[in-house]
Amino acid sequence: MVSYKRLTPEEVHFSGAALLDPDESTDMDLKEEHPELPLLPQSPRCSITIALLTLGGLIVVLSGVWLLGTIFWLHKPPSTEPHRPPPPAVGRSPNGTWLQPESCSQIPEAWRFDCYPERGVVVTAEMCHARNCCFIQNSQAKTSGWNGVPWCFYTPEYPSYELVSITDTEIGKVGKLLRNKKTYYPKDIDALQLEVLYEDNRLHVKITDPAEKRYEVPIDVPVVPKTASSNPSYTVDFIKEPFGLIVKRTQTGTVLLNTSIAPLFYADQFLQMSTSLPSRFIYGLGEHRSNFLHDLQWNTLTMWARDVPPMELTNLYGVHPFYLSMESDGMAHGFFMLNSNAMDVALQPAPALTWRMIGGILDFYVFLGPDPSSVIAQYLDVVGKPAMPIYWALGYHLCRWGYKSSDKTWNVVKEMRNYGIPQDVQWNDIDYMDSALDFTYDTMNFSTLPDLVKDLHKHDQHYVMILDPGISNSLPSGSYWPFDEGKKRGIFINDSNGDILTGKVWPGLTAFPDFSNPDTHEWWYQNLKSFHEKVPFDGVWIDMNEPSNFFDGSLNGCPENELENPPYTPGILGGTLKAKTVCASARQKISTHYNIHSLYGLMEAKATESALRKITDKRPFVISRSTFPSQGKYSGHWLGDNRSQWKDLATSIPGMLTFNILGIPLIGADICGFGGSTTEELCVRWTQLGAFYPFSRNHNSIDEQDQEPTAFSPAARIAMKEVILLRYSLFPHLYTLFHHAHISGHTVHLMPELYIYIYIYIYIYIYIYTCVRTYNNSFVSSGGEEHFQQIIYTHILYIKYIYIIIPNTTLWVSSGQPLNLIVSLSEDGLAKGDLYWDDGETLDTYEKDQYAYIYFTVEQNTMTSEVLHNHEEAAYITVETVSFYGVKVEPENVTVNSQEAAFTYHDNQVLTVTDLGLNLSRNFTINWM
């Protein structure tokens, strides 16, 4: 029998190893070649440690003095001009060249705003002075791929806009901005309109060109008919010249937004706005592989949807220009830039942030919170709250690219059943298709696919298939209806000449549907409906929808124009907008691809969600690779083509947290890894983690070793089975969390009270209050101190207040089982919780009042279950057992609805009342004395 090595705490070394700076990549490569090396260097010996601690203490003291000085400097200026370094005197030499003022050197490095942000350029003094900016060379070269202190930076008095007028309106203010001096980017827009909308708990600002309509992101946002209450949670100050906005929190005076710290740019293809930040604690800004907390040490995040396996310092599949900021006093606010053009978001240690976009308008919101949960809810009030998922979406999913036949796929399902391992959904990747053609299946290798799907349905299981947007355009006319009909209806993306743009994806030469066209949605629906009549799938996985293209642009290239080669190109992987996608100059129904590229996945998700509603008459299940704000209304997301490595397991955790902030709670990562072959230890640990992803799917690449739970040793198989069963037992809790996300914009984490720092998932440090160890039924109570616990295969995790069901191999069967309530009492003997319940699949059950909602409370040794909204679905569920953890004194008697009941009490402070048979649709009380 296999013996699994147990690491001691001294042997465990893990951190964000995947997040190292580029100059550390050599070390990372070495570590990957030698997996026995720790992910962090070993700790130094004691003598060295003492020396380092002594030196470190000195550094801390000096840093403290510097920090106090800096804080004093930051708060010294008056409220109309906060956070501005001293202005230099500007002059010119006799020959007319720009003279750098001596006071440029007085600007602290952390407050130098980049005047030459172009990538791949070593900036010289001549280049910088040509832009009338300060130049101080840093010891580290500023070249492509390196973020550091800018050599070329703005003077405090760099020309910007002037606020020449401002007037009150019913919902805020309207102003006029004028620019008197040209910038170094072409086509400055000299006159702008400022619109400031005072809305409750949020501020909405739009800066537009009053002379010519510019592209705006086509997503619905709320229109507020009146101004905020008489006591808003924020104040707005206007700086006339150079123009700036300063937003402060009324309660504390904290500056949340200050755009006066650097010049405003508003050219046709270059918009730039900077702001100070109240702290270094910034979260969100997806999609990037990074820590949950973003690094402000000269860190530039590029946003432009791109097909690339997750890697650091790279623009990935989705675009989410929203951040949440924690302030020093524990309050929180958020900021959303509603723009879909390619952009850079530059973070610097001042702390400060700069938005650089190459099109659209400045359209942004400030959300006042004041706590993180409120910030997220306010953001989702604008972009839309996530959909309530169909119940089986929360089960366990299996997939791989490379089953290569329906029989192999079916055998995997049968093996899962034989071992009693829960599985709700089976998937297929593109190998089910006939020659990778959408809306077809391989009638040779997948001839039994319709029968497989029928068998899944017979066992209360479900089937999901992949679809890519690329539609083959190289088959004989009349042989492939999706292209022939699409061409006839004119629903494909065209090149700049008006001809169908030809790219290349899995089926070969392809055309790309234009999902910004409503006619495309109808065509998409008809294709899905026709295929559903052959293979009655239950959900759709939309992949490659950045959109991905094996060509750069098209078969015929792209024209040389300002859309393909803008004056400024953000730090996009590949260096050009067309890299591995379609031409930026391509024409779509509502705009050029230049403007709406990053909306492609959102628009395809909307078309797919709408089609599934009509086809199944149930809640749609859609998982999309590319995402944009409001995506949660239409689909979930997975973190893309990860690899079977420990660091990929680790980085999935900030990915889960970040996408919850971004309003897409149905989020997961490929359990055990997609690329490369996993190991048994990694797969077990990843399954134990992935069982608590909101969306839990094991997915594997072609020609890699099998990694479904049945492929491993008995010990590993049992460990995976047990944790998946645990997930299923927690289904009512998870389902209720999604209800709150859908209704109130809450985040979804199976253990929301538990903060875990994971060390290869074998040892964990836990910051926790009262909770329950699920693996030995014991009780833990603490004031938030660290607990160190070794985790072995059969040890899973801790829970707080929760309810569980007796799990089965599918959620449909499990959901009909009795409930066992687990109540973890606080030190004061208090607890509360709730349960949302409906039929799990009907559309809009909450909106149609077709649901039950029960609220549980415990105080003064009495538990009360109160039905706040009743429905027949609740009548099918009974409460069989209630266990109270943290009952400090053994009771003398227990009553249920005033009737004496049998109970047990254990020395670990656990009181259990069994054989209850209480109907969930009726109020009840349990009391102990």
Side-chain angles (χ1 to χ4, degrees), residues 189 206-209 212-219 266 268 271 304 338-343 357-363 516 563 588-600 602-603 628:
I189 300 174
K206 294 181 72 172
I207 302 178
T208 58
D209 181 355
E212 185 175 345
K213 176 71 174 177
R214 292 175 61 81
Y215 162 77
E216 299 185 27
V217 178
I219 67 173
Y266 207 122
D268 184 43
L271 289 75
W304 178 253
L338 182 51
N339 187 292
S340 63
N341 288 88
M343 69 176 75
M357 297 148 291
I358 64 170
I361 65 171
L362 289 176
D363 184 356
S516 75
L563 293 181
Q588 297 189 235
K589 178 72 173 181
I590 64 171
S591 188
T592 60
H593 194 73
Y594 179 90
N595 289 324
I596 63 175
H597 164 82
S598 293
L599 295 173
Y600 196 89
L602 170 64
M603 292 177 172
F628 192 82

Side-chain angles (χ1 to χ4, degrees), residues 798-874:
Y798 300 71
I799 61 178
K800 199 175 179 187
Y801 187 102
I802 217 157
Y803 26 80
I804 64 174
I805 55 178
I806 300 173
N808 210 297
T809 54
T810 67
L811 285 177
W812 180 255
V813 176
S814 298
S815 62
Q817 301 298 308
L819 281 178
N820 295 330
L821 299 183
I822 296 179
V823 183
S824 179
L825 302 176
S826 70
E827 281 293 312
D828 298 328
L830 305 176
K832 61 182 178 179
D834 60 348
L835 174 66
Y836 174 86
W837 204 250
D838 58 23
D839 70 2
E841 60 184 14
T842 298
L843 293 164
D844 306 320
T845 51
Y846 178 81
E847 292 76 9
K848 297 175 182 176
D849 283 339
Q850 298 174 1
Y851 68 94
Y853 183 69
I854 297 93
Y855 194 72
F856 306 100
T857 59
V858 179
E859 57 181 340
Q860 297 181 348
N861 296 349
T862 299
M863 173 184 174
T864 301
S865 174
E866 184 178 4
V867 180
L868 299 182
H869 192 283
N870 214 340
H871 188 262
E872 62 180 357
E873 288 295 328

Side-chain angles (χ1 to χ4, degrees), residues 542-783:
I542 49 177
D543 193 15
M544 306 285 286
N545 56 350
E546 293 72 32
S548 178
N549 184 1
F550 296 167
F551 293 140
D552 286 344
S554 79
L555 174 66
N556 301 316
C558 302
E560 293 294 324
N561 58 30
E562 59 187 11
L563 293 181
E564 301 295 339
N565 303 292
Y568 176 81
T569 300
I572 296 165
L573 180 65
T576 64
L577 299 178
K578 66 184 179 182
K580 295 299 176 279
T581 190
V582 303
C583 298
S585 57
R587 300 180 185 177
Q588 297 189 235
K589 178 72 173 181
I590 64 171
S591 188
T592 60
H593 194 73
Y594 179 90
N595 289 324
I596 63 175
H597 164 82
S598 293
L599 295 173
Y600 196 89
L602 170 64
M603 292 177 172
E604 185 188 17
K606 292 175 69 173
T608 308
E609 191 266 357
S610 174
L612 286 178
R613 276 178 171 258
K614 290 187 279 187
I615 292 169
T616 67
D617 196 30
K618 297 176 182 177
R619 297 176 203 167
F621 176 79
V622 182
I623 293 292
S624 175
R625 191 167 74 178
S626 187
T627 59
F628 192 82
S630 77
Q631 188 95 19
K633 295 165 59 177
Y634 311 103
S635 81
H637 174 59
W638 93 106
L639 296 177
D641 296 339
N642 61 8
R643 294 189 61 79
S644 298
Q645 298 175 350
W646 287 104
K647 70 176 182 180
D648 289 72
L649 176 154
T651 55
S652 73
I653 299 167
M656 302 297 123
L657 299 174
T658 296
F659 271 94
N660 265 274
I661 286 178
L662 300 176
I664 308 178
L666 190 61
I667 175 68
D670 286 345
I671 295 170
C672 302
F674 174 73
S677 288
T678 190
T679 65
E680 183 173 279
E681 178 91 11
L682 174 60
C683 200
V684 170
R685 298 307 183 186
W686 208 327
T687 302
Q688 290 177 331
L689 171 65
F692 301 100
Y693 291 163
F695 165 55
S696 185
R697 181 186 71 162
N698 178 320
H699 181 41
N700 195 5
S701 185
I702 194 168
D703 295 330
E704 302 293 351
Q705 70 178 53
D706 294 344
Q707 64 183 37
E708 56 271 5
T710 58
F712 298 101
S713 71
R717 186 172 63 243
I718 291 170
M720 292 190 223
K721 175 181 176 179
E722 288 182 349
V723 75
I724 298 171
L725 283 169
L726 177 57
R727 175 187 178 87
Y728 276 49
S729 73
L730 300 175
F731 169 70
H733 177 54
L734 182 58
Y735 196 66
T736 300
L737 292 177
F738 269 99
H739 164 72
H740 289 304
H742 173 56
I743 299 306
S744 304
H746 291 182
T747 58
V748 173
H749 305 292
L750 263 175
M751 300 298 148
E753 304 296 333
L754 181 62
Y755 298 88
I756 303 177
Y757 292 83
I758 296 187
Y759 286 74
I760 322 184
Y761 215 70
I762 297 171
Y763 290 87
I764 57 177
Y765 284 106
I766 305 172
Y767 293 85
I768 195 164
Y769 294 89
T770 55
C771 64
V772 179
R773 288 190 181 99
T774 62
Y775 58 84
N776 66 359
N777 233 25
S778 62
F779 178 73
V780 176
S781 178
S782 78

